[in-house]
Amino acid sequence: MAQGWKDPHDYDDVPRPIVATGNDYPPSFELGVHSHGRGQLLYAASGVVVVSTPHGSWIAPPERAVWTPAGISHSVRMVGAVSTRALLLDQAASRALGDESLVIGVSALMRSLLVAACEIEPDYDDAGRDGLVMALLLAELERAPRLTLGAPFPATPALARKCHAFLEKPEPHDTIDGWCADLGIGRRAFTRAFRRETGMSFGAWRQQACLVVALPQLAAGEPVTSVALNLGYDSPAAFSTMFKRRLGIPPNRYGK
């Protein structure tokens, strides 16, 4: 484990709705498959984290955080040297974020609250100043924007296998017709099933999956041109257009 690592399981029985912990990890550190008794919101104060579950992969670049509900098996990959701030929520507090993995936006206020929360003892006075910090954090979680920075996997095994293979080797020019031919399924049945099981269209999912692969590479310092070509884009310009449309900034400004 990373030096000084704090086990989230140590906080399962703390009689407080929210507890916070921080950990520092060396570059490329990986936490193997595990789960928590509490829901976990994971924020990288520095670096990038990629959280993978049986249901998909979610990424938290700067100013983002990944929510993983209690009991969900997941692994975490660190990109660069990562300093995390984690909130561990009991069942009642977890209602603020729901029962599915997702990515939220982290405001300047929430970022400050996360830092402050990690300095608060787990058995804090719920009726005092520390309790007010945690209550404000919960209010911020409830209003935080939900972001599409993940690639959920379908429940249908054959579809899920195709999605897993795509993340291993993204092909931005893959088409619905091509996947239908590989799977032996009609176009209408495919599009209905894909949207029903992932919550998004095939085209939107394909772009999200490319981002899940691209963001860690960019965070690690890979040139935009290399990332674009490695992903199979015809040109860096085509990749940059997609990136800016999805995230609001061009890739050459990512992380700056």
Side-chain angles (χ1 to χ4, degrees):
M1 286 296 177
Q3 186 174 8
W5 187 73
K6 300 171 186 175
D7 189 344
H9 286 294
D10 293 342
Y11 304 95
D12 284 351
D13 297 324
V14 174
R16 296 293 183 272
I18 306 176
V19 292
T21 182
N23 281 305
D24 295 321
Y25 300 94
S28 303
F29 191 86
E30 294 192 20
L31 290 170
V33 176
H34 62 287
S35 63
H36 305 301
R38 288 172 172 249
Q40 176 182 261
L41 183 76
L42 189 62
Y43 168 72
S46 63
V48 171
V49 295
V50 182
V51 178
S52 298
T53 81
H55 311 296
S57 292
W58 286 264
I59 185 167
E63 315 310 322
R64 311 288 191 269
V66 178
W67 167 247
T68 306
I72 298 295
S73 296
H74 62 284
S75 60
V76 183
R77 177 164 57 93
M78 316 297 171
V79 181
V82 175
S83 179
T84 64
R85 304 290 182 268
L87 293 181
L88 301 167
L89 281 62
D90 69 8
Q91 184 176 5
S94 292
R95 296 190 188 105
L97 291 170
D99 57 4
E100 295 184 358
S101 299
L102 52 82
V103 177
I104 67 168
V106 176
S107 65
L109 174 58
M110 187 185 295
R111 184 170 63 250
S112 296
L113 289 169
L114 285 166
V115 173
C118 287
E119 298 174 355
I120 294 174
E121 292 297 322
D123 58 349
Y124 57 86
D125 179 4
D126 212 10
R129 178 263 182 189
D130 293 342
L132 290 173
V133 169
M134 296 303 192
L136 182 54
L137 251 176
L138 185 59
E140 285 296 292
L141 292 178
E142 290 174 342
R143 68 187 298 272
R146 276 54 172 166
L147 307 172
T148 52
L149 272 176
F153 297 141
T156 302
L159 277 177
R161 284 194 295 271
K162 286 288 291 182
C163 290
H164 279 281
F166 187 95
L167 282 178
E168 291 295 324
K169 186 180 180 181
E171 295 288 349
H173 302 300
D174 272 9
T175 65
I176 291 175
D177 291 335
W179 279 41
C180 288
D182 291 343
L183 295 167
I185 186 174
R187 183 184 178 93
R188 177 175 293 184
F190 174 90
T191 55
R192 286 180 175 175
F194 200 92
R195 185 178 289 277
R196 181 178 65 250
E197 297 183 20
T198 66
M200 61 182 69
S201 70
F202 173 77
W205 185 93
R206 183 184 58 199
Q207 291 185 346
Q208 285 301 118
C210 286
L211 286 176
V212 167
V213 176
L215 285 171
Q217 295 178 14
L218 293 169
E222 288 288 329
V224 173
T225 298
S226 297
V227 173
L229 296 180
N230 288 341
L231 287 175
Y233 278 83
D234 293 333
S235 68
F239 169 72
S240 297
T241 297
M242 182 278 292
F243 191 100
K244 186 174 182 179
R245 184 170 61 247
R246 304 297 296 186
L247 294 183
I249 60 172
N252 60 6
R253 286 183 53 201
Y254 172 70
K256 296 182 179 180

